[in-house]
Amino acid sequence: MNRPLSAIAGGVTGIAVMSLLLLFLEVETRSNLAIFESVARFAGMPGNVTFGFILFVLAGVFAWPLAFMALERYIPGGPDPATRGMVLAVALWVVFVLTGRGGLSGGLLAIYVIFTLLAHLCYGFLLGAVYGRLTSEGPLEPERYDPSDVSQ
Amino acid sequence: MFTEIPGLLVVTWALLGLAIYAGYRQNWQLRSVAADGGYLSGLGFESEKPTGLFRWLTTVDHKDIGVLYIVFATGAALWGGTDAMMIRTELFTAGTDVWSPDTYNALFTAHGFTMLFFFATPAFTGLANYFIPILVGADDMAFPRINAIAFWLLPPSLLLVRGGLVTEVLGKMLATVGVRWELLFSLKPPTTGWTLYTPHSALLANPQVDLVLLGLHLSGLATVMAAINIIVTIFTERGEQITWANLDIFSWTLLTTSGIILFAFPVLGSSLLMLVADRNFGTTFFAVEGGGPILWQHLFWFFGHPEVYILVLPAFGLVSLILPKFAGRKLFGFKFIVYSTLAIGVLSFGVWAHHMFATGMDPRLRASFMAVSLAIAIPSAVKTFNWMATLWGGNVRWAAPQIFCVGGIMTFIVGGVTGVFLASIPVDLVLHDTYYVVGHFHFIVMGVITFAAFAASYYWFPLLTGRMFNRRLGRIHGYLSIVGVFVTFMPLILIGYGGLPRRFASYPAAFEPLQQISSFGAVIIGVGVVIWLTNLVQSYRLGPIVTDADVWNLRESGQFSREWQWFETQLEERTKFRR
Ligand code: HEM
Ligand SMILES: [Cu+2]
C-alpha cells in the first residue's frame, strides 16, 4: 500500500484504540482525572472538550503519522517501525503531560502520568506496527534461534 | 507556564519542521520499500482453518480455544492490575484524598472479582485446553463444541460483572454525539467486596449488583463446562501409551482441580440465585428473620475455600512440571505429589469455616475446623519439600521459567506459613480482617499462582508462537517480580500485626510509611508486567525463529516430554510446506 495511506491507517488504528483506553481510564477513575479536559488543554482549547478532542483526533490521524513517515529513518529504535512509533509517542507524551496536566497533583497526577504514558505507547506501537505491516514487501530471512547460545 | 501553550500546536509545528527537514534530506523521494521486519511469522504453512477473525469466532480446535482463553485472561489481568494500582494510589496517603470512599470500595471489589474469576481461572483453563489433549495423546478435547461455548460465555460474564463501567463508556461515547441516554449511567460499580456478604449485598439498591450476581453465575457455568470437559478428556480420550501410572503431573492437578470445581461451583451458583431472589423477589434466604446472614457465609465459603485450591492446584502442577526441566532431574517423589494433590482436593471441602472463626460459632465446631485446616498444610508441605528435593543436587539453570518457579516456591512458603497461623483460632481472632490477611493471600495469588502463569508463559512461548523471546528481559522480569512481591506484601503483613483493618480507604497516619513501601513495591511489579508484555508482543512479531524443537535442551536430561515431541512433528510438517 502507498506509504502516506499506510501511515494514516496506522494513525487511525492507534487513535481509535487510544481514545477507547482514555475513555476507560476516565470512567474507571470516576472522572477524577478529567482526562478529556486535559486533551482539550493539550489541543489549545481549554474548556472546549468536543473541539479539543476533534483536533486531537485529527492530529493523531494525519499530522503525526505523516510526520512519522517522513522522519522514520531518523527515529531511534529501528528497524522495527513499531519501536520507532513508541519512541515518537513518548516524545508526544512528554508534551501531553506538561501541557495537559492542569491542576492535578499527588496520587491523581501519578495515575495520570503512568496511564497516559501507557496509552501513548499503545498509540505509537499500533501506528508503527500497522504502517510497517502495510508497507513491508515481504519477510526478511528471519533470524534463527540457537538454543546453545547462552549470551542471549 | 506550560499549561498556557497548546501542546498540540507545539508538537505539530515541531514535527512539521522536522518532517520538512527530513523530506529535504531525502529529496522527497518515496524510497522503495525495504522489508523492515514489521511483519508476522516467517513460518508460512498451510492449514485448512479459515483465516482472520472468522477463524477465531468459529473455532472448536482446542489449541485455538486455549489461545483465546489465554488472551482473555491476560486482558482481564491487566484490567484487574489497573484496579490494584488505583487501590495502592489511594493507600499511599493516610487520608481519603485520591478517590472517594465509594470508589475505593468499588475498586477492591472489582479487583477481586476480575483477578479470581477472569484472570486466574481462565489462564489455567487455557493452558489446560492447549496442552492436556497433547499431553494425554488425544486429538482434541472430548466435547469441542462445549469447549467453545464455555469460552464464549466468559466475555459476556465479564461484561455483566463490570457492566457499569462498560455502559458508562458507551453512554459517554453517545454523549459526544449529542445523545444522552440516562439508563446507561444508572449502573454504579458495586461495593460488596468479592465475598458479597449479606445483608449489605442484599440491601444495596444499585442494580449493578444483580448484574454482578448473574455474571458470576454465568462464569460459574462456563467453569463447570470446562471442568467436565477436562475430566472426560483425561478419562476417556487418553492415547494407548498413556496410563494412570504415567499420566503427567499437569494433567493430574488439572483433573483434581476440575473435580473440585464440579462440587464447589454449583454451590456458588445456587447461593447466587438465592441472593438474586432475596434482592428482587422478597425471599428471605439470608434475611435476619429468615436463614440469616451466617447462612450466606457458610454457603459462600463452602465454595470459597475450595475455590482457592482451584486457583492454586494448577499453579502447583505447573511448578511440578517445569521445575524439574531446569533442574536436570526428574520430579522427586512424583507419586507423593499426586497423592498430596488428591488429598488437598478432598480436604479442601472440610475447612471452610476457618473464614468464620470470628462470627461466634460454637467453639467445638471451631476446634474441628481448626484441626482440618492445620491438617491441610501437610500435603502442601509435602509438595514444597519434594520441589526442594528435586532442586537438591540438580543442575539448576536460571532461565526465566525457573526463576519464576523458585520464586513461586519462596512466596508460597511465606503465604503458606502465614496461613497456618491464621488457621489457629486465637491468632485468627486477632488478625481476622486485617491487612495480615491481605498480605497472606497475596503471597499466594500474586506469588505462586501468578508466578506459575508467568513461568508457563515463558516456558511454552516458543511452542505457542514458533519464536523465542528475549531471555535477558525474561530474567529481569523474574527478579523484579520476586523483589516486587516481597516489597509489596511484607509491609501488609506487618501492618496487619499493627491491627489495621482492611477494606478502608483511609487509615491512621502511623501506618503511612509501611503503606508507602507497599505502593512502591506495586510499582516494581507493574514495571515487570510492562516488560513482560512488551517482550512477548515484540518477540511474537520479531523474535528469532525456532527451528529445533528442543529449545530448552531437554533431550540431554531425558525430559523432552510429549508436548515438545508434538512440537517437533509440527515443525517438520511446517518446513515441508516451506520452499
Ligand atoms: C500488583 C499486584 C496486586 C496488588 C498491588 C494488589 C493489591 C490489593 C490490595 C491492596 C487489596 C486489599 C484491598 C482492601 O481490602 O482494602 C487487594 C485485595 C484483593 N486482591 Fe489483590 N493485588 C494484586 C494482585 C492480585 C492478584 C493477582 C489476585 C488474584 C489472582 C488478587 C486477588 C485479590 C483478592 C481476592 C482481594 C480481596 C478483595 C476483597 O477484599 O473483596 N490480587 N489487592
Ligand atoms: Cu479457606
Side-chain angles (χ1 to χ4, degrees):
Chain A
M1 200 153 117
N2 116 11
R3 294 166 68 80
L5 274 184
S6 311
I8 292 173
V12 171
T13 326
I15 269 296
V17 171
M18 184 180 182
S19 326
L20 203 63
L21 285 179
L22 291 182
L23 194 54
F24 260 92
L25 185 62
E26 172 77 355
V27 173
E28 169 115 19
T29 57
R30 315 306 300 152
S31 302
N32 275 321
L33 290 185
I35 197 91
F36 290 97
E37 304 283 330
S38 313
V39 169
R41 273 195 296 275
F42 171 67
M45 293 260 162
N48 193 338
V49 174
T50 315
F51 259 108
F53 185 65
I54 290 174
L55 281 182
F56 174 78
V57 168
L58 289 179
V61 169
F62 296 107
W64 301 335
L66 293 176
F68 174 74
M69 179 192 84
L71 292 172
E72 191 200 343
R73 63 157 75 164
Y74 303 106
I75 301 179
D80 173 30
T83 314
R84 286 178 157 155
M86 290 198 275
V87 174
L88 176 75
V90 171
L92 299 174
W93 166 77
V94 171
V95 185
F96 184 86
V97 165
L98 288 179
T99 59
R101 72 188 186 286
L104 296 180
S105 63
L108 281 179
L109 184 62
I111 291 280
Y112 172 81
V113 167
I114 295 174
F115 284 96
T116 54
L117 173 62
L118 294 178
H120 275 83
L121 287 176
C122 282
Y123 170 77
F125 175 84
L126 289 170
L127 166 62
V130 171
Y131 171 77
R133 182 88 187 249
L134 293 179
T135 52
S136 89
E137 276 183 338
L140 289 170
E141 185 52 30
E143 202 188 328
R144 297 288 154 97
Y145 177 65
D146 173 10
S148 57
D149 172 16
V150 281
S151 68
Q152 239 240 34
Chain B
M1 167 225 154
F2 280 116
T3 34
E4 269 109 62
I5 313 168
L8 188 71
L9 281 188
V10 177
V11 177
T12 329
W13 282 108
L15 284 182
L16 189 65
L18 285 172
I20 290 175
Y21 175 71
Y24 172 75
R25 288 274 305 264
Q26 292 169 41
N27 269 338
W28 281 126
Q29 265 166 16
L30 294 186
R31 64 195 156 95
S32 72
V33 185
D36 47 20
Y39 55 85
L40 280 178
S41 182
L43 285 173
F45 62 95
E46 283 172 24
S47 153
E48 70 277 22
K49 288 177 188 167
T51 49
L53 197 59
F54 196 62
R55 162 176 171 197
W56 294 104
L57 290 176
T58 57
T59 183
V60 291
D61 178 335
H62 69 101
K63 299 191 292 302
D64 290 354
I65 293 175
V67 171
L68 286 173
Y69 266 112
I70 292 169
V71 170
F72 175 84
T74 309
L78 294 175
W79 197 353
T82 306
D83 301 323
M85 291 306 157
M86 291 171 62
I87 297 176
R88 289 292 353 150
T89 314
E90 175 61 66
L91 295 175
F92 194 76
T93 47
T96 313
D97 40 18
V98 181
W99 322 115
S100 69
D102 248 2
T103 303
Y104 181 82
N105 297 348
L107 278 173
F108 68 70
T109 305
H111 170 73
F113 285 146
T114 311
M115 288 297 195
L116 296 178
F117 294 98
F118 300 104
F119 153 57
T121 316
F124 294 132
T125 314
L127 291 174
N129 258 296
Y130 202 104
F131 289 106
I132 285 189
I134 297 174
L135 289 170
V136 305
D139 298 333
D140 201 319
M141 297 294 279
F143 309 113
R145 279 159 204 274
I146 291 188
N147 204 17
I149 296 174
F151 171 76
W152 285 107
L153 286 182
L154 282 181
S157 38
L158 179 60
L159 279 188
L160 282 172
V161 170
R162 304 211 62 170
L165 287 185
V166 181
T167 51
E168 206 172 313
V169 165
L170 271 180
K172 295 214 163 173
M173 275 157 103
L174 287 181
T176 53
V177 292
V179 188
R180 207 176 151 82
W181 192 1
E182 284 309 325
L183 188 66
L184 290 177
F185 293 91
S186 64
L187 301 172
K188 300 271 166 287
T191 51
T192 54
W194 86 283
T195 48
L196 290 158
Y197 271 15
T198 54
H200 184 59
S201 59
L203 299 177
L204 275 177
N206 180 5
Q208 170 68 26
V209 176
D210 294 305
L211 294 189
V212 168
L213 298 176
L214 295 175
L216 290 178
H217 192 268
L218 201 60
S219 95
L221 287 179
T223 311
V224 171
M225 286 188 205
I228 294 177
N229 220 338
I230 290 172
I231 295 176
V232 178
T233 306
I234 295 181
F235 266 91
T236 64
E237 302 282 306
R238 266 177 295 138
E240 271 155 25
Q241 323 85 311
I242 307 291
T243 62
W244 290 114
N246 66 9
L247 188 64
D248 67 284
I249 193 69
F250 183 64
S251 304
W252 268 116
T253 44
L254 257 294
L255 182 65
T256 317
T257 306
S258 305
I260 307 180
I261 289 176
L262 214 51
F263 289 100
F265 265 88
V267 179
L268 175 72
S270 343
S271 340
L272 288 171
L273 289 185
M274 283 148 82
L275 188 51
V276 170
D278 266 15
R279 286 176 55 81
N280 296 286
F281 309 121
T283 54
T284 55
F285 293 112
F286 308 118
V288 179
E289 62 278 16
I294 293 294
L295 176 60
W296 170 264
Q297 296 195 19
H298 277 297
L299 290 177
F300 181 83
W301 287 114
F302 187 80
F303 149 78
H305 191 87
E307 163 71 3
V308 309
Y309 285 99
I310 292 168
L311 299 175
V312 88
L313 284 182
F316 289 169
L318 287 170
V319 172
S320 307
L321 184 85
I322 298 172
L323 186 92
K325 310 264 158 129
F326 295 89
R329 294 184 60 197
K330 281 216 300 246
L331 183 62
F332 181 87
F334 187 99
K335 262 194 203 161
F336 288 93
I337 298 219
V338 173
Y339 290 144
S340 67
T341 305
L342 295 172
I344 290 179
V346 174
L347 287 176
S348 68
F349 284 95
V351 298
W352 79 88
H354 63 209
H355 296 273
M356 301 163 60
F357 283 157
T359 56
M361 50 197 277
D362 187 322
R364 285 162 299 179
L365 205 53
R366 258 194 340 208
S368 45
F369 275 102
M370 168 171 157
V372 188
S373 301
L374 293 176
I376 205 170
I378 295 168
S380 308
V382 166
K383 285 177 194 296
T384 314
F385 285 114
N386 276 308
W387 291 328
M388 291 198 234
T390 308
L391 291 172
W392 189 269
N395 169 24
V396 181
R397 291 180 289 155
W398 295 106
Q402 183 74 337
I403 295 172
F404 274 106
C405 285
V406 173
I409 299 173
M410 284 158 58
T411 52
F412 175 57
I413 292 174
V414 180
V417 169
T418 49
V420 177
F421 283 99
L422 285 175
S424 145
I425 298 165
V427 181
D428 185 72
L429 291 180
V430 179
L431 294 175
H432 178 68
D433 244 340
T434 66
Y435 270 86
Y436 182 93
V437 178
V438 182
H440 147 69
F441 72 75
H442 275 87
F443 268 102
I444 297 175
V445 290
M446 187 65 227
V448 67
I449 292 177
T450 312
F451 279 15
F454 280 137
S457 77
Y458 285 122
Y459 176 60
W460 279 323
F461 185 83
L463 192 156
L464 290 167
T465 63
R467 287 175 187 266
M468 194 59 191
F469 56 87
N470 182 318
R471 297 182 59 182
R472 179 175 303 130
L473 281 181
R475 287 194 296 268
I476 293 176
H477 171 214
Y479 293 126
L480 276 180
S481 303
I482 296 175
V483 173
V485 165
F486 277 92
V487 176
T488 312
F489 299 113
M490 253 320 161
L492 297 192
I493 303 256
L494 299 178
I495 292 172
Y497 281 136
L500 184 66
R502 71 193 187 106
R503 290 185 173 172
F504 287 98
S506 59
Y507 54 86
F511 292 104
E512 217 168 40
L514 283 171
Q515 290 277 24
Q516 294 188 344
I517 295 176
S518 173
S519 294
F520 174 67
V523 174
I524 301 182
I525 298 177
V527 170
V529 170
V530 173
I531 292 178
W532 171 78
L533 193 65
T534 320
N535 188 2
L536 294 200
V537 170
Q538 286 296 60
S539 303
Y540 169 60
R541 298 174 58 238
L542 306 162
I545 301 269
V546 172
T547 44
D548 175 358
D550 192 11
V551 269
W552 297 116
N553 286 320
L554 297 177
R555 255 191 256 266
E556 59 184 29
S557 59
Q559 305 200 66
F560 194 66
S561 44
R562 294 188 62 90
E563 81 274 29
W564 296 105
Q565 293 165 20
W566 171 85
F567 183 46
E568 185 161 49
T569 56
Q570 291 285 304
L571 279 183
E572 270 160 22
E573 269 171 44
R574 287 182 199 180
T575 24
K576 254 190 265 160
F577 284 117
R578 237 184 314 167
R579 54 238 98 100

